[in-house]
């Protein structure tokens, strides 16, 4: 019950008997509103400062232990997934990537962090951001992570097929069960581990293909070098053969020429020279028998 002492009528204000708030039509309503506005708390600091200033103020109070722990986390995380370097969920948007890089970089920046490997951690998150901004790399990464997500969902559906507790809790609605599972940390942890498997498998295939291509290139280069050596040898042989044929041709021509000169000399007749006629073998035998030789 409202007593007279508690009633605002005592102070001359027109108010409702059930509340101490002045009535809207009273002449004191404007005065009360002004008084309440002056007594209102100031706006929060988040509305006064921008995001950049808030981040700097927040990370200026972080202890060296927290910074060192963040450096160790970055250097020990999975190297082939840039999402893990920035501590982001795999379905993060491009704006989330920039915001996460800014947040982590303020923690592990070498000028603010005293950890001996702070520069390595800072370079790692910088490279992670660059990879996530490249369209080809992001597309390939999203493809493998989507395959990993489908594998996680498929395995979860198989595990919870006969789960009575979930069936009763969600009244048999499998979509609601899946939505609740996706919102848990277990889902993201299983997705992270399954994503590592797919990424490692892809990297192994890529490296294996690279080694195979390199081996094939080395084989082709070696065969081309061997063919070049064989062609060079063959060219030398052909050149030597051509030289031999040319030499034999020259010698043969000289011999033919000299033989022709000798034949011409034999055919020349010497004036005044007497030569006895050559007798046939049979005539010579008859003459020898006739003369008793």
């Amino acid at each position: 019950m409202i007593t007279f002492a508690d009633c605002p009528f005592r102070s001359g204000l027109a108010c409702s008997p059930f509340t101490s708030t002045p009535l809207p039509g009273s002449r004191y309503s404007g005065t009360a509103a002004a008084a309440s506005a002056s007594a209102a708390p100031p706006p929060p600091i988040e509305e006064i400062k921008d995001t950049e200033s808030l981040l700097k103020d927040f990370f200026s109070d972080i202890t060296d232990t927290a910074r060192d722990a963040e450096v160790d986390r970055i250097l020990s995380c999975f190297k082939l997934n840039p999402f893990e370097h920035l501590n982001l969920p795999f379905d993060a948007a491009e704006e989330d990537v920039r915001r996460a890089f800014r947040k982590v970089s303020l923690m592990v920046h070498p000028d603010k962090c005293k950890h001996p490997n702070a520069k390595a951690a800072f370079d790692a998150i910088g490279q992670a951001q660059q990879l996530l901004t490249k369209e080809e790399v992001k597309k390939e990464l999203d493809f493998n992570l989507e395959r990993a997500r489908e594998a996680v969902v498929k395995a979860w559906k198989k595990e919870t097929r006969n789960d009575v507790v979930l069936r009763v809790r969600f009244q048999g609605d499998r979509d609601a069960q899946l939505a609740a599972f996706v919102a848990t940390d277990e889902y993201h942890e299983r997705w992270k581990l399954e994503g590592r498997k797919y990424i490692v498998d892809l990297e192994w295939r890529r490296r294996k293909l690279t080694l195979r291509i390199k081996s094939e290139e080395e084989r082709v280069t070696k065969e081309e070098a061997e063919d070049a050596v064989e062609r060079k040898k063959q060219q030398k042989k052909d050149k030597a053969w051509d030289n031999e044929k040319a030499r034999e041709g020259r010698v043969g021509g000289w011999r033919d020429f000299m033989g022709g000169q000798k034949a011409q000399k034999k055919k020349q007749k010497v004036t005044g020279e007497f030569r006895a006629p050559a007798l046939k073998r049979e005539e010579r035998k008859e003459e020898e028998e006739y003369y008793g030789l």
Side-chain angles (χ1 to χ4, degrees), residues 161-210:
R161 183 185 306 168
N162 300 321
D163 194 328
V164 180
V165 177
L166 288 177
R167 189 181 304 172
V168 173
R169 179 183 175 185
F170 294 95
Q171 299 179 357
D173 189 351
R174 294 292 287 173
D175 294 336
Q177 295 177 23
L178 179 60
F181 172 67
V182 169
T184 60
D185 294 336
E186 179 188 358
Y187 164 76
H188 289 281
E189 184 67 21
R190 293 176 65 173
W191 189 7
K192 180 175 70 175
L193 297 178
E194 192 69 21
R196 290 180 181 181
K197 295 179 182 179
Y198 280 89
I199 295 174
V200 168
D201 182 66
L202 177 65
E203 185 65 21
W204 169 248
R205 292 174 183 271
R206 181 186 291 111
R207 293 184 182 183
K208 190 175 181 180
L209 181 61
T210 302

Short mmCIF file of all heavy atoms in Angstrom, two decimals, residues 161-210:
data_model
loop_
_atom_site.label_atom_id
_atom_site.label_comp_id
_atom_site.label_asym_id
_atom_site.label_seq_id
_atom_site.Cartn_x
_atom_site.Cartn_y
_atom_site.Cartn_z
N ARG A 161 21.77 -42.83 -35.61
CA ARG A 161 20.57 -43.35 -36.29
C ARG A 161 19.56 -43.91 -35.29
O ARG A 161 18.35 -43.69 -35.43
CB ARG A 161 20.98 -44.43 -37.29
CG ARG A 161 19.84 -44.99 -38.11
CD ARG A 161 20.36 -46.13 -38.97
NE ARG A 161 21.49 -45.72 -39.77
CZ ARG A 161 22.28 -46.56 -40.43
NH1 ARG A 161 22.07 -47.87 -40.35
NH2 ARG A 161 23.30 -46.10 -41.14
N ASN A 162 20.05 -44.61 -34.29
CA ASN A 162 19.15 -45.25 -33.32
C ASN A 162 19.25 -44.60 -31.93
O ASN A 162 19.00 -45.26 -30.92
CB ASN A 162 19.49 -46.74 -33.22
CG ASN A 162 19.33 -47.46 -34.55
OD1 ASN A 162 18.39 -47.18 -35.30
ND2 ASN A 162 20.23 -48.39 -34.84
N ASP A 163 19.62 -43.34 -31.89
CA ASP A 163 19.75 -42.64 -30.61
C ASP A 163 18.35 -42.22 -30.13
O ASP A 163 17.72 -41.32 -30.69
CB ASP A 163 20.65 -41.41 -30.77
CG ASP A 163 21.09 -40.86 -29.43
OD1 ASP A 163 20.32 -40.96 -28.46
OD2 ASP A 163 22.22 -40.34 -29.35
N VAL A 164 17.88 -42.87 -29.08
CA VAL A 164 16.53 -42.61 -28.57
C VAL A 164 16.45 -41.25 -27.89
O VAL A 164 15.43 -40.54 -27.98
CB VAL A 164 16.10 -43.73 -27.59
CG1 VAL A 164 14.71 -43.46 -27.05
CG2 VAL A 164 16.18 -45.08 -28.27
N VAL A 165 17.53 -40.86 -27.21
CA VAL A 165 17.53 -39.59 -26.48
C VAL A 165 17.34 -38.42 -27.44
O VAL A 165 16.52 -37.51 -27.22
CB VAL A 165 18.83 -39.44 -25.68
CG1 VAL A 165 18.86 -38.07 -24.98
CG2 VAL A 165 18.97 -40.57 -24.67
N LEU A 166 18.09 -38.43 -28.53
CA LEU A 166 17.94 -37.36 -29.52
C LEU A 166 16.56 -37.39 -30.18
O LEU A 166 15.97 -36.35 -30.45
CB LEU A 166 19.03 -37.48 -30.58
CG LEU A 166 20.45 -37.11 -30.15
CD1 LEU A 166 21.43 -37.36 -31.29
CD2 LEU A 166 20.52 -35.65 -29.72
N ARG A 167 16.07 -38.58 -30.41
CA ARG A 167 14.76 -38.69 -31.06
C ARG A 167 13.67 -38.11 -30.18
O ARG A 167 12.77 -37.40 -30.66
CB ARG A 167 14.48 -40.16 -31.37
CG ARG A 167 13.25 -40.38 -32.23
CD ARG A 167 13.05 -41.86 -32.46
NE ARG A 167 14.24 -42.47 -33.06
CZ ARG A 167 14.40 -43.78 -33.23
NH1 ARG A 167 13.44 -44.62 -32.83
NH2 ARG A 167 15.49 -44.26 -33.77
N VAL A 168 13.77 -38.37 -28.87
CA VAL A 168 12.76 -37.82 -27.96
C VAL A 168 12.94 -36.32 -27.77
O VAL A 168 11.97 -35.56 -27.73
CB VAL A 168 12.83 -38.55 -26.61
CG1 VAL A 168 11.91 -37.89 -25.59
CG2 VAL A 168 12.46 -40.02 -26.79
N ARG A 169 14.17 -35.90 -27.67
CA ARG A 169 14.45 -34.48 -27.42
C ARG A 169 13.98 -33.61 -28.57
O ARG A 169 13.40 -32.54 -28.33
CB ARG A 169 15.95 -34.29 -27.20
CG ARG A 169 16.36 -32.86 -26.94
CD ARG A 169 17.86 -32.77 -26.80
NE ARG A 169 18.30 -31.38 -26.66
CZ ARG A 169 19.58 -31.01 -26.63
NH1 ARG A 169 20.54 -31.94 -26.70
NH2 ARG A 169 19.89 -29.74 -26.51
N PHE A 170 14.22 -34.05 -29.81
CA PHE A 170 13.84 -33.25 -30.98
C PHE A 170 12.59 -33.79 -31.67
O PHE A 170 12.31 -33.40 -32.80
CB PHE A 170 15.01 -33.20 -31.97
CG PHE A 170 16.21 -32.46 -31.45
CD1 PHE A 170 17.25 -33.15 -30.85
CD2 PHE A 170 16.28 -31.09 -31.55
CE1 PHE A 170 18.36 -32.48 -30.37
CE2 PHE A 170 17.40 -30.41 -31.07
CZ PHE A 170 18.45 -31.11 -30.48
N GLN A 171 11.89 -34.71 -31.01
CA GLN A 171 10.63 -35.24 -31.53
C GLN A 171 10.79 -35.83 -32.92
O GLN A 171 9.95 -35.66 -33.80
CB GLN A 171 9.56 -34.13 -31.54
CG GLN A 171 9.26 -33.57 -30.17
CD GLN A 171 8.22 -32.46 -30.21
OE1 GLN A 171 7.76 -32.07 -31.29
NE2 GLN A 171 7.83 -31.97 -29.05
N GLY A 172 11.91 -36.51 -33.10
CA GLY A 172 12.15 -37.20 -34.36
C GLY A 172 12.55 -36.33 -35.52
O GLY A 172 12.64 -36.82 -36.65
N ASP A 173 12.78 -35.06 -35.30
CA ASP A 173 13.17 -34.15 -36.38
C ASP A 173 14.68 -34.24 -36.60
O ASP A 173 15.46 -33.70 -35.82
CB ASP A 173 12.77 -32.71 -36.01
CG ASP A 173 12.94 -31.76 -37.20
OD1 ASP A 173 13.50 -32.18 -38.22
OD2 ASP A 173 12.48 -30.61 -37.08
N ARG A 174 15.08 -34.91 -37.68
CA ARG A 174 16.50 -35.10 -37.96
C ARG A 174 17.19 -33.80 -38.35
O ARG A 174 18.37 -33.59 -38.05
CB ARG A 174 16.68 -36.14 -39.05
CG ARG A 174 16.25 -37.54 -38.67
CD ARG A 174 17.18 -38.11 -37.62
NE ARG A 174 18.47 -38.48 -38.18
CZ ARG A 174 19.51 -38.89 -37.45
NH1 ARG A 174 19.39 -38.95 -36.12
NH2 ARG A 174 20.65 -39.21 -38.01
N ASP A 175 16.48 -32.91 -39.03
CA ASP A 175 17.08 -31.63 -39.41
C ASP A 175 17.40 -30.80 -38.18
O ASP A 175 18.45 -30.15 -38.11
CB ASP A 175 16.13 -30.87 -40.33
CG ASP A 175 15.94 -31.56 -41.67
OD1 ASP A 175 16.84 -32.34 -42.06
OD2 ASP A 175 14.90 -31.34 -42.32
N ALA A 176 16.51 -30.82 -37.21
CA ALA A 176 16.77 -30.09 -35.97
C ALA A 176 17.94 -30.70 -35.20
O ALA A 176 18.76 -29.98 -34.62
CB ALA A 176 15.52 -30.06 -35.10
N GLN A 177 18.03 -32.02 -35.22
CA GLN A 177 19.15 -32.68 -34.57
C GLN A 177 20.47 -32.28 -35.24
O GLN A 177 21.47 -31.99 -34.57
CB GLN A 177 18.97 -34.20 -34.65
CG GLN A 177 17.78 -34.72 -33.87
CD GLN A 177 17.61 -36.23 -34.03
OE1 GLN A 177 18.56 -36.93 -34.36
NE2 GLN A 177 16.41 -36.72 -33.83
N LEU A 178 20.48 -32.27 -36.57
CA LEU A 178 21.70 -31.89 -37.29
C LEU A 178 22.07 -30.43 -37.03
O LEU A 178 23.25 -30.10 -36.86
CB LEU A 178 21.50 -32.13 -38.79
CG LEU A 178 22.68 -31.76 -39.69
CD1 LEU A 178 23.92 -32.56 -39.31
CD2 LEU A 178 22.33 -31.99 -41.15
N ALA A 179 21.07 -29.55 -37.00
CA ALA A 179 21.35 -28.14 -36.74
C ALA A 179 21.95 -27.95 -35.35
O ALA A 179 22.88 -27.14 -35.16
CB ALA A 179 20.07 -27.33 -36.87
N ALA A 180 21.46 -28.70 -34.37
CA ALA A 180 22.01 -28.61 -33.02
C ALA A 180 23.43 -29.15 -32.98
O ALA A 180 24.31 -28.61 -32.28
CB ALA A 180 21.12 -29.38 -32.05
N PHE A 181 23.70 -30.22 -33.73
CA PHE A 181 25.05 -30.79 -33.76
C PHE A 181 26.03 -29.84 -34.44
O PHE A 181 27.18 -29.69 -34.00
CB PHE A 181 25.01 -32.13 -34.49
CG PHE A 181 26.38 -32.71 -34.74
CD1 PHE A 181 27.18 -33.15 -33.70
CD2 PHE A 181 26.86 -32.82 -36.04
CE1 PHE A 181 28.44 -33.67 -33.93
CE2 PHE A 181 28.11 -33.35 -36.29
CZ PHE A 181 28.91 -33.78 -35.23
N VAL A 182 25.60 -29.17 -35.51
CA VAL A 182 26.48 -28.24 -36.23
C VAL A 182 26.87 -27.06 -35.35
O VAL A 182 27.95 -26.48 -35.52
CB VAL A 182 25.77 -27.76 -37.52
CG1 VAL A 182 26.51 -26.61 -38.16
CG2 VAL A 182 25.65 -28.91 -38.52
N ALA A 183 26.04 -26.70 -34.39
CA ALA A 183 26.32 -25.56 -33.52
C ALA A 183 27.27 -25.91 -32.38
O ALA A 183 27.65 -25.02 -31.60
CB ALA A 183 25.02 -25.01 -32.96
N THR A 184 27.67 -27.17 -32.26
CA THR A 184 28.52 -27.58 -31.14
C THR A 184 29.99 -27.48 -31.51
O THR A 184 30.37 -27.48 -32.69
CB THR A 184 28.19 -29.02 -30.73
OG1 THR A 184 28.43 -29.90 -31.85
CG2 THR A 184 26.73 -29.14 -30.31
N ASP A 185 30.84 -27.46 -30.48
CA ASP A 185 32.29 -27.47 -30.69
C ASP A 185 32.76 -28.82 -31.19
O ASP A 185 33.78 -28.91 -31.88
CB ASP A 185 33.01 -27.13 -29.39
CG ASP A 185 32.75 -25.70 -28.95
OD1 ASP A 185 32.42 -24.86 -29.83
OD2 ASP A 185 32.85 -25.41 -27.74
N GLU A 186 32.05 -29.89 -30.84
CA GLU A 186 32.41 -31.22 -31.31
C GLU A 186 32.37 -31.31 -32.83
O GLU A 186 33.25 -31.92 -33.46
CB GLU A 186 31.46 -32.26 -30.70
CG GLU A 186 31.76 -33.69 -31.16
CD GLU A 186 30.70 -34.67 -30.70
OE1 GLU A 186 29.75 -34.23 -30.00
OE2 GLU A 186 30.81 -35.86 -31.05
N TYR A 187 31.36 -30.70 -33.41
CA TYR A 187 31.23 -30.71 -34.87
C TYR A 187 32.43 -30.04 -35.52
O TYR A 187 33.04 -30.59 -36.47
CB TYR A 187 29.95 -30.01 -35.27
CG TYR A 187 29.87 -29.63 -36.72
CD1 TYR A 187 29.62 -30.58 -37.71
CD2 TYR A 187 30.05 -28.30 -37.11
CE1 TYR A 187 29.55 -30.22 -39.04
CE2 TYR A 187 29.98 -27.93 -38.44
CZ TYR A 187 29.73 -28.90 -39.40
OH TYR A 187 29.67 -28.54 -40.72
N HIS A 188 32.82 -28.87 -35.04
CA HIS A 188 33.94 -28.15 -35.64
C HIS A 188 35.26 -28.88 -35.39
O HIS A 188 36.15 -28.86 -36.27
CB HIS A 188 34.01 -26.73 -35.06
CG HIS A 188 32.90 -25.85 -35.53
ND1 HIS A 188 32.90 -25.25 -36.78
CD2 HIS A 188 31.73 -25.48 -34.94
CE1 HIS A 188 31.80 -24.53 -36.93
NE2 HIS A 188 31.06 -24.66 -35.83
N GLU A 189 35.39 -29.54 -34.24
CA GLU A 189 36.62 -30.28 -33.98
C GLU A 189 36.73 -31.50 -34.91
O GLU A 189 37.80 -31.77 -35.47
CB GLU A 189 36.64 -30.73 -32.51
CG GLU A 189 37.92 -31.43 -32.10
CD GLU A 189 39.12 -30.51 -32.11
OE1 GLU A 189 38.94 -29.27 -32.06
OE2 GLU A 189 40.25 -31.04 -32.18
N ARG A 190 35.63 -32.20 -35.08
CA ARG A 190 35.64 -33.35 -35.99
C ARG A 190 35.84 -32.90 -37.44
O ARG A 190 36.53 -33.57 -38.22
CB ARG A 190 34.34 -34.13 -35.85
CG ARG A 190 34.19 -34.81 -34.50
CD ARG A 190 32.85 -35.50 -34.33
NE ARG A 190 32.68 -36.60 -35.26
CZ ARG A 190 31.66 -37.46 -35.24
NH1 ARG A 190 30.72 -37.32 -34.30
NH2 ARG A 190 31.57 -38.43 -36.10
N TRP A 191 35.27 -31.77 -37.77
CA TRP A 191 35.46 -31.23 -39.11
C TRP A 191 36.93 -30.86 -39.33
O TRP A 191 37.49 -31.09 -40.40
CB TRP A 191 34.56 -30.00 -39.28
CG TRP A 191 34.50 -29.47 -40.69
CD1 TRP A 191 35.04 -30.05 -41.80
CD2 TRP A 191 33.87 -28.27 -41.12
NE1 TRP A 191 34.78 -29.28 -42.91
CE2 TRP A 191 34.07 -28.18 -42.52
CE3 TRP A 191 33.17 -27.28 -40.47
CZ2 TRP A 191 33.58 -27.12 -43.27
CZ3 TRP A 191 32.67 -26.21 -41.22
CH2 TRP A 191 32.88 -26.13 -42.60
N LYS A 192 37.56 -30.29 -38.31
CA LYS A 192 38.97 -29.91 -38.42
C LYS A 192 39.86 -31.13 -38.64
O LYS A 192 40.73 -31.14 -39.52
CB LYS A 192 39.40 -29.16 -37.16
CG LYS A 192 40.85 -28.72 -37.18
CD LYS A 192 41.18 -27.88 -35.97
CE LYS A 192 41.19 -28.70 -34.71
NZ LYS A 192 41.63 -27.92 -33.54
N LEU A 193 39.62 -32.18 -37.87
CA LEU A 193 40.44 -33.39 -38.00
C LEU A 193 40.21 -34.09 -39.33
O LEU A 193 41.15 -34.56 -39.98
CB LEU A 193 40.13 -34.34 -36.83
CG LEU A 193 40.47 -33.81 -35.43
CD1 LEU A 193 40.07 -34.83 -34.38
CD2 LEU A 193 41.95 -33.48 -35.32
N GLU A 194 38.94 -34.14 -39.76
CA GLU A 194 38.65 -34.77 -41.05
C GLU A 194 39.20 -33.93 -42.20
O GLU A 194 39.68 -34.48 -43.20
CB GLU A 194 37.14 -34.95 -41.20
CG GLU A 194 36.72 -35.84 -42.35
CD GLU A 194 37.08 -37.29 -42.12
OE1 GLU A 194 37.29 -37.67 -40.95
OE2 GLU A 194 37.17 -38.04 -43.12
N GLY A 195 39.15 -32.61 -42.05
CA GLY A 195 39.72 -31.74 -43.08
C GLY A 195 41.21 -31.94 -43.23
O GLY A 195 41.74 -31.87 -44.35
N ARG A 196 41.89 -32.20 -42.14
CA ARG A 196 43.34 -32.46 -42.22
C ARG A 196 43.62 -33.68 -43.08
O ARG A 196 44.57 -33.70 -43.86
CB ARG A 196 43.91 -32.64 -40.82
CG ARG A 196 43.95 -31.37 -39.99
CD ARG A 196 44.53 -31.65 -38.61
NE ARG A 196 44.56 -30.44 -37.79
CZ ARG A 196 45.05 -30.40 -36.56
NH1 ARG A 196 45.52 -31.51 -36.00
NH2 ARG A 196 45.05 -29.26 -35.87
N LYS A 197 42.79 -34.70 -42.93
CA LYS A 197 43.01 -35.92 -43.71
C LYS A 197 42.89 -35.63 -45.21
O LYS A 197 43.72 -36.06 -46.00
CB LYS A 197 41.99 -36.99 -43.31
CG LYS A 197 42.14 -37.48 -41.88
CD LYS A 197 41.07 -38.52 -41.56
CE LYS A 197 41.16 -38.98 -40.12
NZ LYS A 197 40.09 -39.98 -39.79
N TYR A 198 41.85 -34.91 -45.58
CA TYR A 198 41.65 -34.62 -46.99
C TYR A 198 42.75 -33.70 -47.54
O TYR A 198 43.22 -33.88 -48.67
CB TYR A 198 40.28 -33.98 -47.21
CG TYR A 198 39.15 -34.97 -47.23
CD1 TYR A 198 38.50 -35.34 -46.05
CD2 TYR A 198 38.73 -35.55 -48.42
CE1 TYR A 198 37.46 -36.26 -46.06
CE2 TYR A 198 37.69 -36.47 -48.43
CZ TYR A 198 37.06 -36.82 -47.25
OH TYR A 198 36.03 -37.73 -47.27
N ILE A 199 43.16 -32.72 -46.75
CA ILE A 199 44.20 -31.80 -47.21
C ILE A 199 45.54 -32.51 -47.34
O ILE A 199 46.29 -32.30 -48.30
CB ILE A 199 44.30 -30.60 -46.25
CG1 ILE A 199 43.01 -29.78 -46.30
CG2 ILE A 199 45.48 -29.73 -46.60
CD1 ILE A 199 42.96 -28.66 -45.27
N VAL A 200 45.86 -33.38 -46.37
CA VAL A 200 47.11 -34.15 -46.45
C VAL A 200 47.09 -35.08 -47.65
O VAL A 200 48.09 -35.22 -48.36
CB VAL A 200 47.33 -34.93 -45.14
CG1 VAL A 200 48.44 -35.95 -45.30
CG2 VAL A 200 47.66 -33.98 -44.00
N ASP A 201 45.96 -35.72 -47.88
CA ASP A 201 45.86 -36.61 -49.04
C ASP A 201 46.06 -35.83 -50.34
O ASP A 201 46.77 -36.29 -51.25
CB ASP A 201 44.49 -37.29 -49.04
CG ASP A 201 44.34 -38.27 -50.19
OD1 ASP A 201 45.05 -39.28 -50.21
OD2 ASP A 201 43.50 -38.02 -51.08
N LEU A 202 45.45 -34.66 -50.42
CA LEU A 202 45.62 -33.84 -51.62
C LEU A 202 47.06 -33.39 -51.79
O LEU A 202 47.61 -33.43 -52.90
CB LEU A 202 44.70 -32.62 -51.54
CG LEU A 202 44.82 -31.62 -52.70
CD1 LEU A 202 44.39 -32.26 -54.01
CD2 LEU A 202 44.01 -30.38 -52.43
N GLU A 203 47.70 -32.99 -50.70
CA GLU A 203 49.09 -32.54 -50.79
C GLU A 203 50.01 -33.70 -51.17
O GLU A 203 50.97 -33.52 -51.93
CB GLU A 203 49.51 -31.95 -49.43
CG GLU A 203 50.90 -31.35 -49.42
CD GLU A 203 51.03 -30.14 -50.33
OE1 GLU A 203 49.99 -29.54 -50.65
OE2 GLU A 203 52.18 -29.80 -50.70
N TRP A 204 49.72 -34.89 -50.65
CA TRP A 204 50.53 -36.05 -51.00
C TRP A 204 50.40 -36.36 -52.49
O TRP A 204 51.39 -36.64 -53.17
CB TRP A 204 50.11 -37.25 -50.17
CG TRP A 204 50.70 -38.55 -50.65
CD1 TRP A 204 50.05 -39.58 -51.21
CD2 TRP A 204 52.08 -38.93 -50.61
NE1 TRP A 204 50.91 -40.59 -51.54
CE2 TRP A 204 52.17 -40.23 -51.17
CE3 TRP A 204 53.24 -38.31 -50.16
CZ2 TRP A 204 53.39 -40.90 -51.29
CZ3 TRP A 204 54.46 -38.98 -50.28
CH2 TRP A 204 54.51 -40.26 -50.83
N ARG A 205 49.18 -36.29 -53.00
CA ARG A 205 48.98 -36.52 -54.43
C ARG A 205 49.70 -35.47 -55.26
O ARG A 205 50.30 -35.79 -56.29
CB ARG A 205 47.48 -36.50 -54.75
CG ARG A 205 46.69 -37.67 -54.18
CD ARG A 205 45.20 -37.49 -54.42
NE ARG A 205 44.42 -38.54 -53.83
CZ ARG A 205 44.10 -39.68 -54.44
NH1 ARG A 205 44.51 -39.89 -55.68
NH2 ARG A 205 43.38 -40.61 -53.82
N ARG A 206 49.65 -34.23 -54.82
CA ARG A 206 50.32 -33.16 -55.56
C ARG A 206 51.84 -33.37 -55.57
O ARG A 206 52.49 -33.23 -56.61
CB ARG A 206 49.98 -31.81 -54.95
CG ARG A 206 50.61 -30.65 -55.69
CD ARG A 206 50.40 -29.33 -54.99
NE ARG A 206 49.01 -28.93 -55.04
CZ ARG A 206 48.19 -28.87 -54.01
NH1 ARG A 206 48.63 -29.22 -52.81
NH2 ARG A 206 46.94 -28.50 -54.13
N ARG A 207 52.40 -33.70 -54.41
CA ARG A 207 53.84 -33.91 -54.35
C ARG A 207 54.26 -35.14 -55.15
O ARG A 207 55.31 -35.13 -55.81
CB ARG A 207 54.28 -34.05 -52.90
CG ARG A 207 54.12 -32.77 -52.09
CD ARG A 207 54.66 -32.91 -50.69
NE ARG A 207 54.45 -31.69 -49.91
CZ ARG A 207 54.88 -31.53 -48.66
NH1 ARG A 207 55.52 -32.52 -48.04
NH2 ARG A 207 54.66 -30.39 -48.03
N LYS A 208 53.44 -36.17 -55.08
CA LYS A 208 53.75 -37.37 -55.85
C LYS A 208 53.71 -37.06 -57.34
O LYS A 208 54.58 -37.52 -58.11
CB LYS A 208 52.74 -38.47 -55.50
CG LYS A 208 53.10 -39.83 -56.05
CD LYS A 208 52.12 -40.88 -55.56
CE LYS A 208 52.48 -42.26 -56.09
NZ LYS A 208 51.52 -43.29 -55.62
N LEU A 209 52.72 -36.31 -57.78
CA LEU A 209 52.63 -35.93 -59.18
C LEU A 209 53.81 -35.04 -59.57
O LEU A 209 54.36 -35.17 -60.67
CB LEU A 209 51.31 -35.19 -59.42
CG LEU A 209 51.04 -34.73 -60.86
CD1 LEU A 209 51.01 -35.93 -61.81
CD2 LEU A 209 49.73 -33.96 -60.94
N THR A 210 54.20 -34.14 -58.66
CA THR A 210 55.35 -33.28 -58.94
C THR A 210 56.62 -34.09 -59.11
O THR A 210 57.41 -33.84 -60.04
CB THR A 210 55.53 -32.25 -57.81
OG1 THR A 210 54.32 -31.49 -57.67
CG2 THR A 210 56.68 -31.31 -58.11
#
